[in-house]
Amino acid sequence: MPTLTNAVVLVTGANGGLGTEFVRQAFQYGATKVYATARNPRDWEDERIVPLALDVTDSASVAHAAAVASDVTVVINNAGAANGSSLVGTDLVGARALFETNFWGPLMVANAFAPALKAHRGVLLNVHSVLSWLALGDSYSATKAALWSATNTQRLALAPAGVHVAGLHLGYADTPMTVGVDAPKLDPADVVRDAYRGIEAGEYEILADDLSRQVKAGLAAPITALYPQLADLQPVPAGE
Ligand SMILES: NC(=O)c1ccc[n+]([C@@H]2O[C@H](COP(=O)([O-])OP(=O)(O)OC[C@H]3O[C@@H](n4cnc5c(N)ncnc54)[C@H](OP(=O)(O)O)[C@@H]3O)[C@@H](O)[C@H]2O)c1
């Protein structure tokens, strides 16, 4: 069974809302050391926490972190961004940039740390979203859907080596990413608690809220159940 007892945890995007919780709560579950990685690492004033520079979009930075932190047993692929970009239209620059951060970045991190995780029969947690299963977030949804698919591939590839690969899904949480969002939000502390408990329970998919559970369950329904706005659409006559 995957465990956090005596774990050496590495958190990407450690300065963010969920990242900070992942760093701090790791010790409650028995971790002995945490690499708190960030583009601009900060001093945590705790000798158990090792600040480490890591930009997930920079292959040299990822390789350096993997070389320094070869004792890692748990990787929390948490870093992510939202930039308001769209898949619809001719300018895909923003969407491509978001894929670098939310898809290619975590993929590079997972691959760079795979040798350490295999050596320690460790754990990889990829932070997805309820929007992995719901396209309302436009390009953000696409990045999280792609990451969800990659997580499934990684799980199959790493399971024979004893590495547990889990994915975390959640709706809005109260972090800097959602500052402009006027909607009910989860407490990041609750999300991270569920994530760590899910890891210890050996879960593959950790659903942190009812919204994620409802949307996941709805995937088997006709597409108009997830997107009711499609059901009432009247086709626009050609030329309009
Ligand atoms: N908050 C929500 O409602 C919500 C819902 C579902 C999923 N999520 C996911 O949860 C994860 C954590 O997000 P959050 O809510 O905690 O947001 P946040 O507070 O904005 O934290 C995101 C962190 O990711 C870091 N980051 C961005 N680009 C990076 C890069 N290239 N390399 C390294 N780090 C980078 C940021 O670093 P800087 O400090 O350097 O900018 C920031 O610390 C993300 O993957 C997000 O997509 C969030």
Side-chain angles (χ1 to χ4, degrees):
M1 192 65 88
T3 181
L4 290 154
T5 305
N6 296 323
V8 177
V9 179
L10 180 136
V11 180
T12 67
N15 292 351
L18 290 176
T20 299
E21 284 296 329
F22 274 117
V23 172
R24 295 211 182 283
Q25 287 194 36
F27 301 108
Q28 295 170 24
Y29 293 86
T32 53
K33 178 178 176 182
V34 177
Y35 290 100
T37 77
R39 289 185 284 197
N40 299 298
R42 66 179 164 101
D43 183 5
W44 291 75
E45 298 178 347
D46 182 332
E47 62 185 16
R48 301 169 300 173
I49 303 176
V50 181
L52 183 62
L54 174 54
D55 180 337
V56 302
T57 65
D58 178 343
S59 58
S61 172
V62 172
H64 178 259
V68 169
S70 58
D71 55 344
V72 158
T73 66
V74 177
V75 170
I76 309 290
N77 238 338
N78 162 76
N83 65 3
S85 62
S86 179
L87 298 176
V88 182
T90 53
D91 181 1
L92 295 176
V93 172
R96 286 184 191 278
L98 202 56
F99 266 86
E100 290 296 330
T101 303
N102 288 1
F103 178 71
W104 295 112
L107 209 63
M108 279 204 293
V109 169
N111 289 339
F113 283 93
L117 294 180
K118 286 179 182 173
H120 300 111
R121 301 178 72 78
V123 176
L124 171 67
L125 176 72
N126 288 339
V127 178
H128 306 146
S129 168
V130 66
L131 296 176
S132 301
W133 297 319
L134 200 57
L136 301 182
D138 205 317
S139 61
Y140 178 84
S141 291
T143 64
K144 292 295 185 178
L147 183 58
W148 170 65
S149 179
T151 300
N152 290 327
T153 298
Q154 290 165 344
R155 181 175 299 126
L156 294 171
L158 294 174
V163 179
H164 182 80
V165 179
L168 173 65
H169 296 260
L170 63 142
Y172 287 131
D174 193 6
T175 72
M177 183 177 281
T178 60
V179 160
V181 174
D182 183 17
K185 298 175 196 172
L186 301 164
D187 183 337
D190 293 340
V191 173
V192 169
R193 179 204 61 212
D194 287 356
Y196 279 143
R197 286 183 179 172
I199 287 173
E200 295 232 289
E203 291 176 22
Y204 289 126
E205 282 190 335
I206 300 163
L207 310 186
D209 58 358
D210 285 342
L211 181 63
S212 298
R213 285 184 276 275
Q214 283 165 18
V215 172
K216 172 91 200 274
L219 290 176
I223 200 76
T224 46
L226 269 187
Y227 303 102
Q229 56 270 55
L230 291 174
D232 304 326
L233 275 186
Q234 301 297 324
V236 179
E240 288 190 16

